[in-house]
Amino acid sequence: VRLRNSVKNSLAQIDTQLQRRFDLIPNLVETVKGYAAHEKELLENVTASRNGYMNASSAEERMIMENQLSAGLRNLFAVVENYPELKANTNFIRLQDELSETEDKLAYSRQWVY
């Protein structure tokens, strides 16, 4: 019973961090849009993955969408390297730091489940 409750608690912690991550993404995308207008497809893919996760009906679908979202965010941060003005934008830096902190919390939470 204790182990089952521990796993449930860990999964709840992961869900909390994923929700925080999903809440940050629209702000991040809007900030990047102004600088990287021609990266429209990448921004749409990140948004679609986020929405797909929110609408997923099974754990398997959520895992697939979460993996797609992670890949999209990695690509987004790679694109940012081409925009020095964006890298200096205070709002972007704050959002990137918050997202990085959330990713660290997700990794920590996952170690207790897997």
Side-chain angles (χ1 to χ4, degrees):
V1 172
R2 186 170 16 112
L3 290 174
R4 183 178 63 232
N5 288 340
S6 178
V7 168
K8 283 182 181 180
N9 183 45
S10 295
L11 290 172
Q13 293 296 321
I14 290 171
D15 284 342
T16 299
Q17 294 308 319
L18 285 172
Q19 185 60 50
R20 182 172 185 246
R21 178 195 212 193
F22 297 146
D23 292 344
L24 289 170
I25 288 170
N27 296 329
L28 186 66
V29 167
E30 287 302 314
T31 301
V32 173
K33 268 185 185 177
Y35 290 92
H38 67 279
E39 304 293 348
K40 183 179 178 184
E41 183 179 342
L42 173 62
L43 299 173
E44 288 173 351
N45 288 343
V46 169
T47 302
S49 295
R50 175 188 177 265
N51 292 338
Y53 182 92
M54 301 296 269
N55 296 322
S57 59
S58 71
E60 184 178 342
E61 287 177 13
R62 284 194 302 271
M63 188 170 61
I64 291 168
M65 290 286 113
E66 202 273 324
N67 288 337
Q68 286 178 0
L69 182 60
S70 293
L73 288 173
R74 280 192 300 275
N75 290 337
L76 179 66
F77 288 124
V79 165
V80 168
E81 295 295 319
N82 297 324
Y83 298 92
E85 323 76 54
L86 178 57
K87 288 194 304 188
N89 180 296
T90 307
N91 190 36
F92 177 77
I93 291 169
R94 184 181 56 78
L95 288 167
Q96 189 177 20
D97 288 345
E98 284 184 45
L99 192 58
S100 178
E101 180 183 318
T102 300
E103 294 294 330
D104 291 344
K105 289 179 181 178
L106 270 170
Y108 180 77
S109 296
R110 285 180 176 143
Q111 78 183 6
W112 298 108
V113 174
Y114 302 113

